[in-house]
Amino acid sequence: MKIIATEEHMATAEVVDAWSRLGLESRDPGVAYHQIGDIAKRLLDLSKDRIALMDEAGVDVQVLSLTTPALHDLGAESVDIARRVNDTLAETVARHPDRFEAMATLPVARPEAAAAELERCIVELGFTGAMLCGRVGEHHLDHPDFAPIFEVAGRRSVPLLLHPRVVPEGVRTAWFSGFGDRVEMALAGYAIGWHLDAGIQFIRLLLSGLFDRHPDLPVLLGHWGELVLYYVDRLRALDAVSELAHPLDTYLRRNVYLGASGMFSAEHLRRARGVVGPDRLLFSADFPYQYRPERQARAFIENCGLGGEELTNFASGNWCRLRDAILRC
């Protein structure tokens, strides 16, 4: 059974240097987290060592994406950096076409350039998606400035992974301070802040009418739905006030795909299946942050409670259909 992991991260030395110049190691938990263990080294490796760890986990293919906060905090320089990152990813896929796919890295602070780069990545480089990391400066992803990016993605049915990033400074201070720097950093980031932020970005995009304007746009939410999944019953109350063309459930089953992101939980999987259906479940290991040795990735899939076609679709089939939809556009 082929296993494709759809949220697997990388970085380049140039991007790491750009983050360092901005001082993000002290402000962004995503960047600070890279200093733990072998994470920094594994992010930079795009060759045999990464493939060896994939084999050890039981993963056949990784869909690579630049890790958070990607280029969202960079300005004009992000245009050239994005191109170089994407060229590096294309070279990696060309060297190992049976082991890697790639999601586009976009210079989101320059939306017109980002739209052009997304087009290049899909048409010329053969990428199979793109990743966005929430806010850009003070703007959420639903801001009208970013419409060119979503126009390309919607027209070409490009899967967009909405990846978490640290919550805004005001939220961090109001909600997560008072427990010391290390605990605050975790709360504002990977413990819960990241996932609150990603969930809010999705809800804002939904309420902006994005999926009415682009009904064929697929959006990927990792970590079994970035907390949105568990408040669907409450979020349905928005149907009475949103003035959208369809109820919430329509968008969840038409536009949303849910990934595991290394949360190997059969209970979460059952909930996700009930909300979006079995054809919208994606496997992901969240490498290198949630790396699991001794073939734990494959063991989770084989014992997750799904069977038959639903099992093979979770392992790779659902992603393959999403990927192939790009080629038809």
Side-chain angles (χ1 to χ4, degrees), residues 303-315:
N303 297 282
C304 68
L306 298 177
E309 187 176 4
E310 287 191 9
L311 180 61
T312 57
N313 283 343
F314 174 47

Side-chain angles (χ1 to χ4, degrees), residues 29 56-57 76 106 124 164 188 207 221 246 255 277 305 319-320:
E56 185 180 352
L106 302 179
E124 297 181 21
L207 293 175
L221 294 177
H246 304 284
N255 298 98
W319 173 254
C320 289

Side-chain angles (χ1 to χ4, degrees), residues 118-156:
L118 178 57
E119 192 94 39
R120 181 180 83 97
C121 287
I122 300 302
V123 175
E124 297 181 21
L125 302 184
F127 285 12
T128 51
M131 193 180 90
L132 299 173
C133 291
R135 292 165 293 103
V136 183
E138 297 300 316
H139 291 159
H140 297 286
L141 289 177
D142 62 290
H143 192 279
D145 284 358
F146 305 121
I149 299 171
F150 292 108
E151 190 282 325
V152 173
R155 173 166 46 83
R156 293 194 171 276

Side-chain angles (χ1 to χ4, degrees), residues 11 34 36-46 49-50 53 287-288:
H34 300 166
I36 298 175
D38 292 328
I39 288 176
K41 181 178 72 174
R42 290 176 176 176
L43 283 168
L44 294 171
D45 177 68
L46 293 172
D49 290 342
R50 179 181 287 255
L53 292 174
F287 181 91

